[in-house]
Amino acid sequence: SWAAYQAILWLGNATNQDRIRYSAFAGFGNVSGRRGALRESVEWSERALTLARSLADPRLIQQLGTNLGIAYRGLGDLDRAKAY
């Protein structure tokens, strides 16, 4: 739920842990996508992708790429969807 991810983000900020912040941003992106707020989903997912890249974690990068591809496809932006 949104409130759970807010708590995770608070923890990530309080402990200055990017991996925890990543989880919150990715979660916000997923919740937004399930609610049909695809532009918001893209914004959160792009923030999470930035953190995944800074963590140099290929698994996280791949997960976000998939999520972004799905969101962009839902928005009708097939070029961006294919890029992910």
Side-chain angles (χ1 to χ4, degrees), residues 24-75:
F25 292 162
F28 286 140
N30 287 333
V31 170
S32 297
R34 284 193 303 260
R35 291 179 176 171
L38 297 179
R39 291 195 190 288
E40 185 178 330
S41 177
V42 165
E43 291 173 13
W44 284 113
S45 296
E46 290 283 2
R47 292 177 74 179
L49 182 58
T50 298
L51 287 177
R53 286 179 174 151
S54 74
L55 294 166
D57 188 322
R59 183 182 58 85
L60 299 180
I61 293 166
Q62 184 274 326
Q63 287 174 345
L64 263 296
T66 299
N67 293 351
L68 282 162
I70 291 167
Y72 278 121
R73 185 184 68 206
L75 289 168

